[in-house]
């Protein structure tokens, strides 16, 4: 079953979980992200780890590097869009 996690990062604190779900809810999360030009990244392993967090919860320090790489990748993609 498809799962999705949405994170918010405001550059002042650790990224926080803003949405999560599976099945139809996961599809809706991804649909809203696409409508808002949010870069999507697929990592089943990371989604599994993040899905244990509650809404509004900051990601744990053990995931900082993995999430930072994704954020940097997303910025790079957005900077090169026409």
């Amino acid at each position: 079953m498809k799962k999705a996690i949405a994170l918010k990062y405001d550059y002042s604190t650790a990224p926080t979980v803003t949405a999560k779900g599976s099945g139809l809810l996961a599809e809706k999360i991804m649909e809203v992200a696409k409508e808002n030009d949010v870069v999507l990244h697929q990592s089943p392993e990371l989604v599994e780890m993040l899905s244990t967090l509650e809404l509004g919860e900051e990601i744990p320090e053990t995931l900082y590097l993995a999430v930072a790489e994704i954020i940097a990748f997303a910025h790079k993609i957005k900077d090169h869009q026409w």
Side-chain angles (χ1 to χ4, degrees):
M1 180 176 286
K2 185 174 284 194
K3 291 183 178 182
I5 305 289
L7 298 175
K8 177 183 178 185
Y9 181 54
D10 63 8
Y11 301 95
S12 63
T13 61
T16 57
V17 176
T18 57
K20 67 179 191 173
S22 58
L24 292 175
L25 183 54
E27 290 177 22
K28 184 64 178 175
I29 291 168
M30 290 184 283
E31 179 184 317
V32 170
K34 288 177 187 176
E35 290 171 358
N36 290 281
D37 295 321
V38 173
V39 175
L40 299 176
H41 176 79
Q42 293 185 11
S43 175
E45 298 85 6
L46 185 57
V47 167
E48 283 302 318
M49 289 183 268
L50 292 172
S51 67
T52 65
L53 301 176
E54 297 298 325
L55 293 178
E57 189 173 351
E58 291 184 355
I59 65 167
E61 284 186 42
T62 55
L63 297 179
Y64 281 6
L65 182 58
V67 172
E69 288 175 353
I70 293 167
I71 291 170
F73 176 75
H75 282 293
K76 190 173 192 177
I77 287 174
K78 283 199 168 270
D79 288 346
H80 288 93
Q81 289 180 346
W82 316 104

